Amino acid sequence: MDKFASLVDDVVAVDKMKNETAFDPFQIFEVQNRPCAILKIKVTEGRNITKGSWTKDLIDTPDPYIVLDIPTTPSGRKRTQHLDNTINPVWNETFTFYMDMMKKNILEITLMDANYTTDETIAVEKYDLGYLSLGESEHTFQFNTISEVDVEFHLSVDNSPALRYSLALSNEEKEFRRNRKEQVFKSMRQMLGDDGPKVLDEVPTIGILGSGGGFRAMTGFCGAFTALVDSGILDLATYVAGLSGSAWYISQMYSHPDWPNKTPGDLRDELKNNIDSSLFWILKPQSLYRYISNIMEKRRMGHPVSFTDFFGHLVGETLLKGRLGSKLTDQQEKLVDGLCPMPLYCCVHVKKEISAMAFAEWVEFSPYEIGMAKYGTFLKTELFGSKFFMGQLVKQHDEQPLHFLMGIWGSAFTILFKRLVTGVSKDPMQLVMEEKAKSDQALLEEAIAAATPTDTTDGKGESDSESESESDTEVQNGDSEKPAKEYKKKGFWQNMLQGIVSSNNIFGTREGRAGLVHNFMRGLLLNVAYPISPFTDNLGIDTTPPPESPKETFQSIFDGFSTSHKKMYMVDGGLTYNSPYPLLLRPQRGVELYLSFEFSGRPSDSTPPFKDLKLAEKWAQLNKVPFPPIDISVFDREGMKECYVFRDPEDPHCPVVMHFVLVNVEFRKFKKPGVTRETKEEFDFANFDIFDDPKNPYSTYNFTYTHQMFDRISKLIEFNTLLNVDLIKRTIIEVIQRKRQWGGATLPIKVETIHQLRHLSQNKKKLDDFVDFLKEWSAGRH
């Protein structure tokens, strides 16, 4: 053991020396945006303030105040305090405005008189801010030829945005990767012995993914995590990524104070007890009042609010018992020294009037950053939900609670909530497909049609409080209202919830059921969208969608979006495809082995389980990132089984995908790998269908799992994972040997093609040197 420890320490020490001179090739790409102009206006004092006639002034001495309005700026309407009974007021109040100097910015300054009933406008003047020069200046505004107000201007340009513009990973994630790599190296040496990596450069990056699927996915991922921890495989992974239900599992686990000191198996009963009752039990009067009060307070503070907030409270109350105050940044503590894989979560940003299958921009969430790799734009996690303009932090809000993010990650259920309340038992993904088949716009219009009216200023400036709404009386296609007699048979709270959804209050509008946040990219110059694989181009790509996919699939994913919108609409990633591959397909993360757990709904237990995997393959092809060919004929050759392995025999640098399927095959006969079932009770427990059961107990719509249902799904996936542990180990060894054979590091680009790259910074020479170094180093290892 001492000899082993000494070897590990020596390898780690060498790697640390290499890191001191490491060069990140993705830093060479310039992600540029115009700097933001910051205008500070100080309203100092007024003189001879008059209402315009001596009779009015005689009756009532003015109570003057000033309103400043720059409609082209965010939060562009501000006012001073009013001062009672004075014609020579002294305000000395300073206000800050954030401006795009490429636009025509007009200041409208209004002299007002405060009254007990309706305030009176005395006079209005306009001033073209394009005449201002950088630095300080003064101007006296004259109203009614008599009244004067002195104003001081200070115009500056800030080149230090609060957003991070880069295609590279954040410094925090890079530091985590270095620490995690050391931990994985030690774990691989202990588990694999001489078959493990000999140097840190041979350590493969392993990513674990969980698909969507509601509580079915969450319960299944619990079983997968239990097996991965008990077998030691989780100690070999760098990332764990979740979408929708799997994201719920990861987030409730990483927010748990006992993780990782206790295993998922130790915490299994707690989760099982949390979901054995309907979500509706939470809707007691005092709970409902608390939810609505919190949401209304959030709205009063200037946030856009929607049913996602309400749904997030329900999910949080169910899964985060006793820790509703949890924040995503709290999970940074779990990553200290690289002791756990980094959790990654996702949703997609969509456009109005375009199907999510055609246009969807993936948004990634980590404990460190949230952002969109497509635009190379990221912000600190704690700033998500704050107001930005041209990269500047205009108004900082408190960090969003974790349960709100959980509501976003699973927002497919808020979009289709009316169907959930009225008791429809179909799988939501199937419902979404039905909606798309009837109309490409039906699903999105239900959720975001009301977003547009508030996306542009109306010439009156913009208020922090977004109170606009519009009536929504339409119903989803094919979903008519229930007859009154049937409606009355429902429980009180179901009737109440249906009232919330269908009423004209804020939650009843189409906008109210959208997942809304302030647009952190507002005002940015996004005429450049960066490919996820920036060392390649996107010309000549076959955009034909995979078989059995809607014809519009991925047609517009390289289009940009207007950053003039005040809000962004974010939806469950499962509405484009149901697995979080885009998070780990980023070449900056360099994942070489995917352990992918598929919990998506299928028409039957016998249906081939590759639909979303084929979509991931297509997405990778469109984005020019390596992905093994998914040959679905393997199903004809090998039949239904627990795990399929996909490799690219022609590309040694292509990652390997291990595709774990939600299927009950060997579990019916074995209670543990190699241990057969014996008693009738044991056989009865394992004898169940998942998608062929006519009662559909494991529907994605089911938010109540009995203990038996929970145990069946979680134990099934735990068994299926443990059944393939040896296969996982053999595949890891295969990847290690491949890295050893090909020199560990992968060349991002050939030297002779560097000049063809677009959007390069002055670091181009560093890229030349870096590629030359890798070639020489790789050659020296052979």
Side-chain angles (χ1 to χ4, degrees):
M1 186 65 183
D2 292 340
K3 182 178 180 181
F4 168 76
S6 177
L7 171 64
V8 171
D9 291 341
D10 289 343
V11 170
V12 170
V14 170
D15 187 72
K16 285 183 176 179
M17 287 190 295
K18 289 171 61 178
N19 280 329
E20 291 178 358
T21 58
F23 171 70
D24 183 348
F26 294 97
Q27 291 177 344
I28 66 152
F29 293 92
E30 288 184 331
V31 180
Q32 293 183 333
N33 274 289
R34 292 196 303 269
C36 181
I38 300 179
L39 176 64
K40 293 184 180 295
I41 300 180
K42 183 177 182 180
V43 182
T44 56
E45 60 182 349
R47 293 178 298 279
N48 304 319
I49 302 300
T50 174
K51 295 184 178 184
S53 69
W54 67 269
T55 55
K56 290 183 178 180
D57 293 339
L58 182 64
I59 295 172
D60 180 22
T61 302
D63 306 314
Y65 66 92
I66 295 295
V67 174
L68 305 173
D69 188 6
I70 309 177
T72 51
T73 67
S75 304
R77 188 176 180 87
K78 306 176 188 295
R79 57 158 288 178
T80 67
Q81 294 182 342
H82 77 270
L83 300 179
D84 292 332
N85 300 318
T86 177
I87 62 172
N88 296 307
V90 177
W91 290 287
N92 284 326
E93 295 185 45
T94 302
F95 306 93
T96 302
F97 297 86
Y98 298 85
M99 299 193 307
D100 182 352
M101 294 303 291
M102 298 300 292
K103 294 182 177 181
K104 187 175 182 63
N105 298 290
I106 302 297
L107 168 66
E108 185 177 276
I109 180 169
T110 305
L111 177 61
M112 300 289 296
D113 177 34
N115 292 310
Y116 288 109
T117 54
T118 302
D119 291 357
E120 178 183 352
T121 299
I122 296 177
V124 179
E125 293 293 327
K126 293 185 178 182
Y127 184 76
D128 188 344
L129 297 173
Y131 293 118
L132 292 178
S133 300
L134 291 177
E136 297 181 352
S137 58
E138 298 179 354
H139 187 82
T140 298
F141 289 90
Q142 193 168 49
F143 302 91
N144 296 332
T145 69
I146 300 175
S147 302
E148 294 182 337
V149 174
D150 293 337
V151 173
E152 298 176 0
F153 296 101
H154 183 273
L155 180 63
S156 62
V157 175
D158 195 319
N159 290 298
S160 301
L163 299 178
R164 185 176 70 90
Y165 307 130
S166 176
L167 298 190
L169 300 177
S170 68
N171 290 333
E172 293 86 354
E173 184 170 348
K174 290 178 181 178
E175 177 64 21
F176 162 80
R177 286 170 59 90
R178 286 190 287 267
N179 293 332
R180 184 61 181 171
K181 197 170 191 178
E182 295 173 11
Q183 298 290 343
V184 171
F185 177 79
K186 296 174 185 178
S187 297
M188 286 188 173
R189 292 291 301 178
Q190 290 175 337
M191 178 179 291
L192 306 176
D194 292 339
D195 289 326
K198 293 181 171 56
V199 295
L200 277 170
D201 288 308
E202 294 176 356
V203 174
T205 301
I206 299 175
I208 298 169
L209 305 91
S211 79
F215 277 14
R216 181 183 63 238
M218 182 179 67
T219 302
F221 217 24
C222 174
F225 250 70
T226 300
L228 293 171
V229 170
D230 292 348
S231 64
I233 298 298
L234 193 72
D235 292 334
L236 313 183
T238 301
Y239 295 104
V240 55
L243 181 149
S244 195
S246 290
W248 290 346
Y249 177 76
I250 300 170
S251 57
Q252 66 84 33
M253 176 62 71
Y254 271 76
S255 67
H256 200 289
D258 293 334
W259 165 257
N261 295 324
K262 288 187 177 180
T263 69
D266 297 331
L267 301 173
R268 186 201 304 255
D269 285 346
E270 181 179 326
L271 179 60
K272 177 168 61 177
N273 292 330
N274 285 345
I275 65 172
D276 64 357
S277 301
S278 169
L279 283 179
F280 295 118
W281 77 268
I282 301 171
L283 298 177
K284 297 175 290 189
Q286 60 269 34
S287 299
L288 186 62
Y289 177 78
R290 185 173 72 253
Y291 303 157
I292 299 299
S293 295
N294 290 341
I295 294 169
M296 291 299 99
E297 174 62 18
K298 179 180 178 180
R299 183 168 180 257
R300 190 188 67 79
M301 296 297 294
H303 289 278
V305 298
S306 69
F307 197 86
T308 297
D309 293 87
F310 188 83
F311 183 71
H313 273 284
L314 297 183
V315 174
E317 194 83 51
T318 302
L319 303 180
L320 303 177
K321 295 288 179 64
R323 51 183 195 278
L324 281 175
S326 296
K327 307 289 195 300
L328 181 53
T329 54
D330 297 338
Q331 297 179 22
Q332 294 176 12
E333 298 178 4
K334 311 292 185 180
L335 307 182
V336 174
D337 296 327
L339 294 179
C340 294
M342 175 181 286
L344 296 172
Y345 313 94
C346 64
C347 69
V348 290
H349 167 247
V350 295
K351 284 183 179 179
K352 184 182 186 300
E353 297 180 352
I354 298 181
S355 164
M357 290 298 297
F359 177 90
E361 299 177 322
W362 288 83
V363 184
E364 64 176 57
F365 296 73
S366 85
Y368 300 120
E369 279 191 334
I370 296 172
M372 299 170 73
K374 177 178 177 179
Y375 301 111
T377 303
F378 301 88
L379 69 157
K380 294 292 185 182
T381 298
E382 58 267 26
L383 296 180
F384 182 69
S386 294
K387 295 188 81 170
F388 287 84
F389 184 72
M390 298 187 71
Q392 291 295 320
L393 182 60
V394 174
K395 182 176 182 180
Q396 183 171 353
H397 293 288
D398 292 340
E399 181 179 352
Q400 299 282 352
L402 180 61
H403 62 76
F404 171 69
L405 303 183
M406 295 170 78
I408 290 179
W409 302 332
S411 62
F413 303 103
T414 67
I415 295 174
L416 300 172
F417 189 77
K418 184 180 293 185
R419 294 183 176 224
L420 173 62
V421 172
T422 54
V424 176
S425 60
K426 289 184 180 180
D427 187 275
M429 293 303 108
Q430 181 182 351
L431 290 171
V432 171
M433 292 303 111
E434 291 176 358
E435 294 293 316
K436 288 187 173 72
K438 295 176 181 177
S439 168
D440 289 347
Q441 271 51 269
L443 180 63
L444 289 180
E445 287 181 357
E446 171 66 21
I448 63 174
T452 301
T454 59
D455 279 342
T456 56
T457 57
D458 59 4
K460 302 290 187 181
E462 173 187 279
S463 170
D464 280 348
S465 178
E466 311 243 353
S467 58
E468 302 93 334
S469 64
E470 73 176 64
S471 175
D472 179 21
T473 58
E474 70 184 70
V475 296
Q476 295 186 13
N477 289 348
D479 185 24
S480 59
E481 295 298 323
K482 295 287 183 179
K485 184 175 181 180
E486 184 176 349
Y487 182 80
K488 291 178 181 178
K489 291 181 180 179
K490 297 183 176 300
F492 172 77
W493 290 113
Q494 282 185 294
N495 285 338
M496 182 277 300
L497 282 173
Q498 187 164 354
I500 288 178
V501 172
S502 60
S503 68
N504 290 327
N505 62 26
I506 185 170
F507 298 124
T509 65
R510 289 176 291 182
E511 181 178 13
R513 289 197 295 276
L516 294 169
V517 294
H518 289 303
N519 182 5
F520 61 86
M521 293 196 295
R522 188 179 180 195
L524 296 184
L525 180 65
L526 295 184
N527 57 359
V528 175
Y530 297 88
I532 193 173
S533 183
F535 289 104
T536 63
D537 63 64
N538 287 308
L539 301 178
I541 298 174
D542 179 13
T543 59
T544 304
E548 300 182 3
S549 298
K551 63 180 181 179
E552 76 272 19
T553 301
F554 303 150
Q555 282 186 352
S556 305
I557 61 172
F558 297 117
D559 293 352
F561 84 103
S562 172
T563 60
S564 64
H565 294 178
K566 293 192 291 186
K567 293 174 287 191
M568 302 178 79
Y569 177 57
M570 297 185 177
V571 301
D572 191 320
L575 297 180
T576 178
Y577 69 91
N578 206 29
S579 191
Y581 272 100
L583 302 181
L584 299 184
L585 281 172
R586 287 184 63 191
Q588 296 89 331
R589 295 195 165 113
V591 176
E592 293 149 305
L593 174 59
Y594 295 94
L595 306 183
S596 176
F597 292 86
E598 177 61 70
F599 307 112
S600 298
R602 306 197 302 275
S604 170
D605 285 76
S606 59
T607 303
F610 307 116
K611 180 180 179 181
D612 285 294
L613 188 59
K614 289 295 291 182
L615 287 170
E617 177 192 28
K618 187 63 180 182
W619 195 90
Q621 291 171 351
L622 291 173
N623 285 276
K624 293 291 186 73
V625 290
F627 201 80
I630 306 302
D631 180 9
I632 61 177
S633 67
V634 66
F635 188 79
D636 298 326
R637 297 191 304 270
E638 302 177 10
M640 184 70 77
K641 61 180 184 177
E642 291 80 4
C643 180
Y644 300 86
V645 182
F646 297 95
R647 304 174 177 86
D648 187 341
E650 299 181 359
D651 183 0
H653 298 299
C654 185
V656 178
V657 170
M658 299 188 70
H659 186 61
F660 290 84
V661 180
L662 180 57
V663 61
N664 188 0
V665 180
E666 294 299 311
F667 183 68
R668 295 180 187 269
K669 299 175 287 185
F670 298 92
K671 55 185 176 183
K672 293 181 180 180
V675 181
T676 59
R677 298 188 182 276
E678 299 176 350
T679 68
K680 181 179 183 301
E681 181 181 9
E682 290 174 349
F683 279 105
D684 288 344
F685 173 78
N687 185 26
F688 67 96
D689 295 326
I690 303 163
F691 304 109
D692 289 332
D693 189 325
K695 296 181 180 179
N696 203 12
Y698 302 107
S699 164
T700 312
Y701 259 165
N702 184 12
F703 287 90
T704 305
Y705 270 46
T706 65
H707 286 191
Q708 184 188 62
M709 291 169 57
F710 183 96
D711 288 338
R712 278 179 162 175
I713 293 294
S714 63
K715 291 288 186 182
L716 169 65
I717 299 301
E718 179 182 358
F719 172 88
N720 289 354
T721 306
L722 292 174
L723 187 65
N724 289 281
V725 165
D726 287 341
L727 179 59
I728 295 174
K729 292 179 181 178
R730 292 197 301 272
T731 307
I732 293 174
I733 293 171
E734 170 194 326
V735 176
I736 293 171
Q737 292 173 344
R738 191 172 64 181
K739 289 174 68 70
R740 184 177 299 150
Q741 178 182 358
W742 292 95
T746 302
L747 290 172
I749 192 172
K750 295 179 181 179
V751 175
E752 55 267 26
T753 58
I754 289 178
H755 72 280
Q756 299 176 5
L757 295 175
R758 299 175 300 159
H759 319 305
L760 291 182
S761 69
Q762 300 304 313
N763 289 328
K764 183 177 178 181
K765 179 62 168 59
K766 289 186 178 181
L767 178 63
D768 292 339
D769 296 339
F770 173 74
V771 173
D772 282 336
F773 166 76
L774 283 184
K775 289 177 63 178
E776 295 173 2
W777 176 79
S778 179
R781 290 171 56 89
H782 291 84

